[in-house]
Amino acid sequence: MRILTYVQVPLLALFSVALWSQEAPAEREGGHTNSNKFKQLYEEFSTPNRFRTASGAPGVDYYQQQVDYVMDLELDDKNTKLYGEETITYTNNSPDVLTYLWVQLDQNIRKKDAPALEKNGSGFQPLARASTFVKNYMDEPFDGGFNIESVTSANGQALPYRINQTMMRIDLPSPILPGGQYHFSIKWWYNVNNHVTNRARSGYEYFPEDGNRAYVIAQFFPRMAVYNDVEGWQNYQFWGNGEFALNFGNYEVNLTVPADHIVEATGQLQNPKEILSREEFKRYKKAQNTFDSPVIIVTQDEAEAKEAVFSDKKKTWRYVAKNVRDFAFASSRKFIWDMMAVQVGPRKVMAVSLYPKEGNPLWEEYSTRAVAQSLDTYSKYTFNYPYPKAVSVHAKNQGMEYPMICWNYGRPNEDGTYSDRTKFGMISVIIHEVGHNYFPMIVNSDERQWGWMDEGLDTFMQYLTEQQFGVNYPEAIAPLEAFPSRRGAPSKIVPYMSGDQSFISPIMSNPENVFQLGPNAYGKPATALNILRETIMGKELFDYAFKTYAQRWIFKHPTPEDFFRTMEDASAVDLDWFWRGWFYSTDYVDIGVGSVKKYYVSPKPGKEVDELLEQYNMTPEDLPENMIYMVAEDSESFEPSMAASSAIDNSQSLRNYIEENNAEIDRTNTEPPKYFYEIEFEKPGGLVMPLIVEYSYADGSTERVTYPVQVWRKNDASVRKVLATNKELVGVTIDPDEETADIDTSNNSWPKEEQASDFDKFKAKIKG
Amino acid sequence: MNLQTMFKKIGLLFIMLLTMGFTLHDVYISSMKMELIPTSGELQLTLQVFTDDLELVLQSQSGEEIQLNPDRQATNSLIAAYLKSVLKFSAAKTPISLEYLGKEYHDDLTLIYMQAKLADEMSELELTHQLFLSELPTQQNLVHFKSDSYRKSFLFDARMQKSPIRIRP
Ligand SMILES: [Zn+2]
C-alpha cells in the first residue's frame, strides 16, 4: 500500500508543477525581504559573546555583581513608620571601572509628586462616587517615599548623591576597580502606607474591629541597582508595573518590632530561643522534624488574646540570608503561625504559613500544604529548592513574591464560610507566589524589562503544580476531577489571542507598555510553553531543555535569548519559528480544512491531462511509459466504472509495472488503495503550527496524523496533502483535542459542521 | 439610578493600579461579544466579567453581602437592574430595551447573556458602557461586534463611555 502511494504522488506533483508553469507571466514585481515565518532570529537576538554564549549558557567571562547588606530596622507600629540603617558592601566583579553607583528607591513611587502618579491619561466622568471625588480632588495625597537622612562612606564621610525619581546616584570619591569592593551606609525612614486602600505590594492592612495592623513589608530599603553586560547600569525607573531587577548577596538583618508581634522574613531566624516563649519554642523545634502535617506554633486563641493588648516593649528578630536577591518581612500581633518540614531532594525545607484569624479556617487547612506541593513539583522540573524555608503570608487582596516569603490572598467570609472560588484562588496564588522563588528569585531574570520571563515561566509551572495538587488532594477539589486551573490550557488563551489587535502586544514587550498585562505576561507565555511541551517538543525533550535552562541560570541573571537559545540547544529542535510567532508577534492560530477532492485511477488520460498536453503541443504518445492517470470525481472525464473497479483493473500501466517489478514488490503489500483524496488545509491565522489531523472513515475507524510544522515553509496560506486509503473518508478534523489554541474552530472540520453558537446553546438551555 | 443611595455607599474599592505582583486578576477588564443576526434582527450579547468584580460591585450597589458562584441569594434581578443602569443602547436617540436572559459561571468568570431586537433599517447604534466604572475607575470594557463577516472592536473606559457602533457596513 505504501509503495503504491509513492507511485501516484509524483504524478500529482507533475500536475501541480505543470499547472503552475502554465500561468501567464504577471507584471514584473518588485523584490522583497525575508518575511518567512521560519526566518532565523539572528536579527532579533543579540550577538553571542564571551559573557553569553550562542548555546544560551553563561559564557567564560560571565560575571555578576555581589551586594551584601547589614541592616538594622525598626517598625514603629503606633506611628506606622519604618526606620532603617543599612551598610552595603558592593563587590565589582565586572571588568569595568565604576565611577558612580545607582541605588533603587522604590518607595519614592509613593511620593506626593511621583511622576508615576501621572503616568496614565485621565478624564472626567459625568458621575463619580463621592469617595472617589474626595480622593481625587480634596484629599491630601499620601506622604510616602524615602526620607534619606544620610549617605556615608565607611569612615563616616558624607557622600554626594543625586536622586532622580526612584533612583539615586552616589558619586564615589574614587572609582571602584574591577574586583574592587566598596562599603557605604544609608540611613532612612518612611511612612508606611495602607496596602489595602492603596492596592500596593507593601504596607499594612488595618483591622478596625481591634485596631491592629498586619504588616507585609517589601521593596522597603534602598537597594543596589543591577550593573551587567546587557544593560550597563539599569536605568528603567520604577513606574509600577515592571517589577524588579536585583543583585544576589548575603543579608544580616536585625528587625525590631513590638514585643508581642510575630515575624516572618527572608532568611534563617538566628535567635528563636531568645525571641519565642518557651511553649512556642518547643513547638518550633517539634515542627522542624514533623513531615506529615503542619505544627501550630502560635494558635488562633493565643493570637486573639494578644489583639487587645498593645505591648510597649520591643523585641529584635535576627535573620541571616545567604545568596538572596532581596529581603522582605511580615509582622503583626494578630498572626497565627504554623509550619511543617518537607523533604526536597537531600534537603529539609520548612513550609511555613502566617495568617490573622480572618484567614481561618481556610488557611490552617491549605496554606502550608500548598507551599509543600509547590516545593515538590517545582523542584522536580528545575532544581532542588536551595533555601531553608518558604513562607506564605496571608494579605487581604494581593499576591506578591520575595525570596523565601510571599503574600497571598484568599479570605473567607466573616462567618468563616468560603466559596470554592476563594479556596481555589487561594491555593493557586500560593503555588504561584511560592513558585516565584524559582523564577525570578533564583533564576534571576530582569523583571523591570521582561515581565514574562518570571510570570510566564512561573504560571506555566503553576499549572503543572496545580494539576499535581489535585492528584495529591482529591478531597480538596471534589467533586471536580482536576484542579480548575485558570491559565495554561490552550483554550483559555483564545479569547485574548482572538481579541482586537489594537489591544494586544507581543510577549516581548516591556510590562509598562502593554494593554492587558495578565494575558500578555502570564497567560500567553504559560500557554505557549504548555503547547511546546505537550504538542511540539514532547514532554521528554521539553523537560530536559527546561531543566537545563533552570540549572544553567540558577543564581544568575538570564536574558530572553538565554532562554530561547537553551531550549533549542538542549533539544535539537529549531524553535526560531515558534519564538518568532508566539513571543515576537501577536499572530494567532487559525487552521482549517478547505476542500477535499476524491481521485480515481483511470484507464485513459482525463480531460485535464489532455489540456495540459495540448498546451505543450504533445500527445499521449509523447508521455513516458507506464504513466498512471488520475481523474477527480468532479471532472468531466470521470466515469462511474472507475469507482466500481480497482486501481489495478483500471490501469494497464500499473499492471505492467507490478509484473515487471514482481521480485521487488512484496506481494502482500500490493493491495492498491481504493480511495485517493487530496485535502487542502487553509491557514487564515498568522501562526504556523504542526498540522494535527484526524481522518474518520466509513467503517467507524479514525486515524491521527501530525504533519510537521514545516509544511507551511513555502506557502503560508494553504497546503495540500494526499491520502491514499482502502477506506472511504467521511470526515476530517483539525486539532481534535484542541491543543493548539486555534481561535476559530468553525473551519476545523469537513464536512463542515454547523455549530450552534454558545449564545444559542445558552438560550436553548434556559428554555429547556 | 438613585444617586442618593449610590453616594451613601462607601466603597472599600478605590483602586489605583499602581501595582501588579499578582493581584486578584491582574487587570480590570470585561469583554462583550455582540452579534447581530441579520436574518432575524436579533442582537445577541454575551458579557464576560470577572466574578469577583461583579460581586464587589453588586455589594456596593445594594449595600448587602452578596456571594456569587454559588449564589447565596437570588441575584438575577439585581444583576439585570444593574446592567440596565450601565449598559444603554439607543438608535436615533430612542432607547432600545435589553432583555436579560441569564448567567453562567466559568471558572473565575461570569458570562451574562442578553438580547435585543433591532429594526431592519437600523444601521447605527449608540452604546453607553459604564460597567463597573463608578467602583473601579481603571476598568476597561471591550466590545467585539460581529455581523456575518463584518467585525469591529471598541474600548470603553472612564474617558470613553459612549460611542456610536456601526452595525451594517
Ligand atoms: Zn507572579
Side-chain angles (χ1 to χ4, degrees):
Chain A
M1 173 167 164
R2 287 280 168 231
I3 290 167
L4 287 174
T5 309
Y6 294 131
V7 172
Q8 51 96 33
V9 168
L11 185 75
L12 287 171
L14 176 76
F15 266 83
S16 48
V17 169
L19 287 168
W20 191 275
S21 52
Q22 138 204 13
E23 277 169 24
E27 215 166 284
R28 189 181 298 282
E29 273 187 78
H32 61 271
T33 52
N34 187 350
S35 60
N36 192 289
K37 305 279 182 190
F38 292 85
K39 182 189 169 192
Q40 310 91 311
L41 280 168
Y42 281 87
E43 279 170 35
E44 284 76 9
F45 283 8
S46 56
T47 309
N49 53 44
R50 291 172 65 89
F51 301 118
R52 288 162 204 272
T53 69
S55 70
V60 285
D61 290 340
Y62 175 83
Y63 71 87
Q64 61 195 28
Q65 309 294 62
Q66 164 95 11
V67 187
D68 302 321
Y69 297 81
V70 177
M71 298 197 282
D72 290 312
L73 308 171
E74 181 164 352
L75 176 64
D76 178 351
D77 179 28
K78 275 206 189 80
N79 301 303
T80 59
K81 286 185 193 312
L82 183 62
Y83 297 88
E85 194 165 1
E86 67 193 68
T87 298
I88 296 176
T89 302
Y90 189 82
T91 307
N92 181 13
N93 292 323
S94 83
D96 310 325
V97 175
L98 302 177
T99 55
Y100 46 80
L101 301 175
W102 280 103
V103 176
Q104 316 192 56
L105 303 178
D106 310 82
Q107 280 300 323
N108 281 3
I109 201 170
R110 313 215 152 269
K111 277 208 176 299
K112 284 179 185 176
D113 57 353
L117 295 172
E118 297 290 352
K119 73 172 178 177
N120 293 321
S122 59
F124 269 111
Q125 293 183 45
L127 201 63
R129 293 168 68 83
S131 55
T132 310
F133 185 88
V134 168
K135 184 121 196 165
N136 282 353
Y137 308 114
M138 294 160 73
D139 255 10
E140 265 294 294
F142 178 73
D143 190 12
F146 279 116
N147 301 281
I148 301 290
E149 298 210 315
S150 65
V151 180
T152 50
S153 67
N155 56 18
Q157 295 277 291
L159 291 168
Y161 64 87
R162 177 91 201 165
I163 294 173
N164 172 17
Q165 298 183 36
T166 61
M167 294 183 71
M168 171 168 75
R169 189 189 71 231
I170 298 177
D171 300 337
L172 297 167
S174 56
I176 312 177
L177 300 177
Q181 223 172 37
Y182 188 69
H183 307 268
F184 67 104
S185 300
I186 306 175
K187 195 172 172 198
W188 51 268
W189 68 272
Y190 73 85
N191 289 316
V192 181
N193 56 296
N194 179 325
H195 74 80
V196 178
T197 53
N198 273 347
R199 270 299 167 96
R201 293 178 181 85
S202 169
Y204 61 78
E205 176 182 358
Y206 181 67
F207 296 85
E209 314 78 48
D210 51 48
N212 274 286
R213 293 183 183 85
Y215 292 85
V216 289
I217 301 293
Q219 52 277 341
F220 66 90
F221 59 99
R223 305 181 290 185
M224 282 304 305
V226 170
Y227 180 87
N228 67 16
D229 60 298
V230 287
E231 294 276 332
W233 281 109
Q234 146 202 357
N235 50 46
Y236 205 119
Q237 295 274 344
F238 184 39
W239 287 94
N241 279 1
E243 291 182 330
F244 311 109
L246 296 159
N247 304 277
F248 285 110
N250 301 324
Y251 286 68
E252 276 178 53
V253 180
N254 303 313
L255 171 56
T256 303
V257 299
D260 50 359
H261 274 210
I262 290 295
V263 174
E264 264 297 0
T266 304
Q268 190 80 283
L269 178 60
Q270 301 297 298
N271 56 342
K273 198 164 182 184
E274 170 196 329
I275 210 97
L276 302 177
S277 74
R278 187 174 305 183
E279 183 57 31
E280 286 164 353
F281 184 67
K282 217 172 82 191
R283 297 169 188 163
Y284 182 86
K285 293 301 277 183
K286 181 176 171 227
Q288 312 294 315
N289 288 306
T290 304
F291 290 83
D292 51 353
S293 64
V295 174
I296 298 191
I297 317 295
V298 175
T299 67
Q300 179 161 341
D301 284 347
E302 289 162 353
E304 280 182 45
K306 288 194 281 187
E307 283 178 353
V309 193
F310 294 71
S311 173
D312 279 333
K313 298 201 180 67
K314 298 175 188 175
K315 271 187 183 170
T316 300
W317 299 60
R318 294 194 294 112
Y319 292 92
V320 168
K322 298 273 181 221
N323 218 3
V324 290
R325 64 168 226 168
D326 200 2
F327 184 92
F329 69 90
S331 181
S332 177
R333 62 178 65 80
K334 283 177 70 78
F335 281 145
I336 303 163
W337 196 15
D338 77 48
M339 57 181 77
M340 137 177 133
V342 185
Q343 193 68 37
V344 180
R347 193 178 281 114
K348 185 180 74 181
V349 179
M350 296 307 294
V352 185
S353 298
L354 204 58
Y355 41 96
K357 66 169 191 283
E358 283 73 8
N360 265 341
L362 187 58
W363 275 69
E364 64 182 18
E365 182 74 29
Y366 293 115
S367 174
T368 295
R369 289 184 173 89
V371 174
Q373 182 66 62
S374 313
L375 296 174
D376 188 64
T377 307
Y378 278 75
S379 292
K380 195 172 125 206
Y381 288 101
T382 56
F383 43 77
N384 286 328
Y385 187 71
Y387 294 139
K389 68 178 183 188
V391 186
S392 160
V393 182
H394 180 31
K396 182 170 181 170
N397 47 13
Q398 58 154 323
M400 190 55 206
E401 69 277 9
Y402 303 97
M404 300 186 221
I405 192 166
C406 53
W407 329 141
N408 300 300
Y409 54 74
R411 183 156 296 178
N413 302 316
E414 272 174 36
D415 61 6
T417 59
Y418 53 85
S419 63
D420 278 358
R421 200 155 48 81
T422 302
K423 176 174 75 179
F424 291 130
M426 174 244 195
I427 294 169
S428 283
V429 73
I430 292 175
I431 290 172
H432 180 94
E433 306 305 350
V434 172
H436 269 309
N437 274 295
Y438 298 79
F439 310 100
M441 299 304 148
I442 295 169
V443 177
N444 189 353
S445 57
D446 181 347
E447 297 177 274
R448 187 64 51 85
Q449 292 292 351
W450 308 111
W452 69 268
M453 283 198 75
D454 66 305
E455 298 301 356
L457 270 60
D458 186 32
T459 304
F460 161 71
M461 281 299 310
Q462 177 194 346
Y463 174 75
L464 297 181
T465 309
E466 285 170 356
Q467 295 306 309
Q468 193 56 44
F469 183 89
V471 172
N472 292 1
Y473 300 97
E475 71 287 352
I477 61 164
L480 302 178
E481 305 219 323
F483 191 95
S485 292
R486 206 155 61 81
R487 290 180 171 134
S491 62
K492 304 262 179 184
I493 201 66
V494 166
Y496 171 68
M497 291 182 77
S498 59
D500 189 317
Q501 283 290 328
S502 32
F503 305 119
I504 303 178
S505 321
I507 294 174
M508 286 294 288
S509 302
N510 185 282
E512 291 293 345
N513 307 334
V514 302
F515 280 95
Q516 306 174 54
L517 191 53
N520 182 279
Y522 297 65
K524 187 179 163 190
T527 311
L529 295 181
N530 219 4
I531 290 173
L532 259 191
R533 180 171 189 263
E534 307 259 348
T535 302
I536 290 164
M537 298 171 75
K539 289 179 186 169
E540 210 173 272
L541 285 177
F542 178 93
D543 290 351
Y544 180 84
F546 190 78
K547 193 176 223 172
T548 301
Y549 166 72
Q551 297 194 348
R552 275 179 176 178
W553 292 96
I554 184 170
F555 292 120
K556 294 193 171 72
H557 302 260
T559 64
E561 291 106 301
D562 295 326
F563 175 70
F564 297 142
R565 287 183 155 132
T566 298
M567 291 303 289
E568 301 186 82
D569 192 74
S571 67
V573 182
D574 164 45
L575 294 169
D576 281 21
W577 62 272
F578 188 84
W579 310 132
R580 178 180 292 288
W582 281 83
F583 286 74
Y584 286 85
S585 90
T586 60
D587 279 339
Y588 46 82
V589 177
D590 184 11
I591 300 177
V593 195
S595 60
V596 176
K597 264 186 150 179
K598 206 168 179 180
Y599 282 87
Y600 291 98
V601 172
S602 153
K604 52 183 197 304
K607 185 168 171 272
E608 289 77 8
V609 176
D610 288 341
E611 283 172 3
L612 209 64
L613 292 170
E614 199 179 339
Q615 220 188 322
Y616 290 94
N617 281 328
M618 288 160 76
T619 62
E621 287 70 46
D622 297 328
L623 285 172
E625 266 179 50
N626 279 354
M627 293 303 282
I628 290 171
Y629 306 108
M630 309 285 297
V631 166
E633 198 175 38
D634 60 357
S635 155
E636 273 177 31
S637 316
F638 172 73
E639 288 162 21
S641 64
M642 296 173 187
S645 39
S646 80
I648 290 185
D649 293 339
N650 283 348
S651 171
Q652 181 65 43
S653 308
L654 184 56
R655 285 198 295 277
N656 293 349
Y657 183 81
I658 292 173
E659 284 299 299
E660 286 160 24
N661 297 279
N662 211 354
E664 289 157 45
I665 300 175
D666 179 354
R667 276 267 167 206
T668 56
N669 270 340
T670 53
E671 182 64 20
K674 280 206 187 86
Y675 303 97
F676 300 92
Y677 299 96
E678 184 191 64
I679 301 131
E680 183 177 38
F681 299 99
E682 299 170 336
K683 193 169 76 59
L687 285 184
V688 291
M689 281 298 250
L691 191 47
I692 306 166
V693 186
E694 186 170 273
Y695 295 114
S696 313
Y697 299 107
D699 65 357
S701 64
T702 58
E703 181 187 9
R704 196 67 77 85
V705 180
T706 299
Y707 303 107
V709 64
Q710 282 77 9
V711 296
W712 304 110
R713 268 152 43 250
K714 296 179 183 177
N715 188 340
D716 193 47
S718 72
V719 64
R720 281 177 289 181
K721 280 284 175 187
V722 164
L723 182 72
T725 164
N726 276 321
K727 300 186 265 189
E728 189 185 358
L729 186 68
V730 295
V732 180
T733 309
I734 292 178
D735 189 16
D737 295 338
E738 300 189 7
E739 52 189 304
T740 65
D742 192 322
I743 64 150
D744 180 4
T745 50
S746 67
N747 57 1
N748 281 27
S749 38
W750 172 89
K752 205 173 165 78
E753 285 167 20
E754 273 311 323
Q755 298 168 327
S757 71
D758 289 339
F759 191 93
D760 289 333
K761 279 187 210 154
F762 181 81
K763 260 176 93 170
K765 196 176 92 182
I766 54 171
K767 269 199 197 117
Chain B
M1 188 190 300
N2 184 338
L3 289 184
Q4 202 66 32
T5 13
M6 197 187 105
F7 282 133
K8 250 191 250 159
K9 278 160 222 149
I10 295 153
L12 37 139
L13 9 134
F14 181 80
I15 286 146
M16 269 161 55
L17 258 191
L18 250 186
T19 61
M20 255 287 306
F22 186 88
T23 47
L24 288 172
H25 41 69
D26 329 321
V27 273
Y28 296 89
I29 198 154
S30 78
S31 78
M32 182 163 75
K33 267 196 254 173
M34 196 172 145
E35 180 163 6
L36 173 65
I37 311 296
T39 48
S40 62
E42 194 177 80
L43 187 67
Q44 304 182 330
L45 302 169
T46 310
L47 172 67
Q48 180 180 302
V49 298
F50 286 106
T51 304
D52 36 35
D53 292 348
L54 180 63
E55 195 176 80
L56 224 52
V57 167
L58 292 178
Q59 271 176 21
S60 150
Q61 293 286 328
S62 68
E64 286 165 38
E65 277 283 314
I66 304 280
Q67 188 192 293
L68 302 172
N69 191 19
D71 293 12
R72 269 199 185 166
Q73 60 276 88
T75 54
N76 277 331
S77 59
L78 203 60
I79 297 173
Y82 172 67
L83 291 177
K84 219 172 177 178
S85 72
V86 291
L87 266 183
K88 290 174 217 134
F89 286 94
S90 63
K93 306 245 184 273
T94 314
I96 295 167
S97 70
L98 270 188
E99 185 191 351
Y100 174 88
L101 296 173
K103 65 176 188 307
E104 275 180 330
Y105 297 118
H106 285 251
D107 302 329
D108 56 349
L109 299 174
T110 304
L111 268 56
I112 297 166
Y113 298 88
M114 292 162 284
Q115 65 181 7
K117 184 90 176 92
L118 301 188
D120 286 345
E121 70 282 3
M122 238 176 241
S123 63
E124 191 173 280
L125 297 177
E126 187 176 71
L127 171 58
T128 306
H129 197 331
Q130 296 165 316
L131 186 82
F132 299 168
L133 282 184
S134 52
E135 286 81 9
L136 306 166
T138 60
Q139 175 76 19
Q140 297 186 317
N141 295 308
L142 286 163
V143 172
H144 303 296
F145 178 76
K146 179 180 175 223
S147 179
D148 285 334
S149 59
Y150 173 66
R151 285 160 201 266
K152 195 99 186 82
S153 291
F154 303 85
L155 174 68
F156 294 85
D157 61 11
R159 280 162 293 167
M160 174 67 125
Q161 305 186 10
K162 196 191 269 189
S163 169
I165 293 185
R166 232 187 141 70
I167 55 171
R168 291 191 169 92

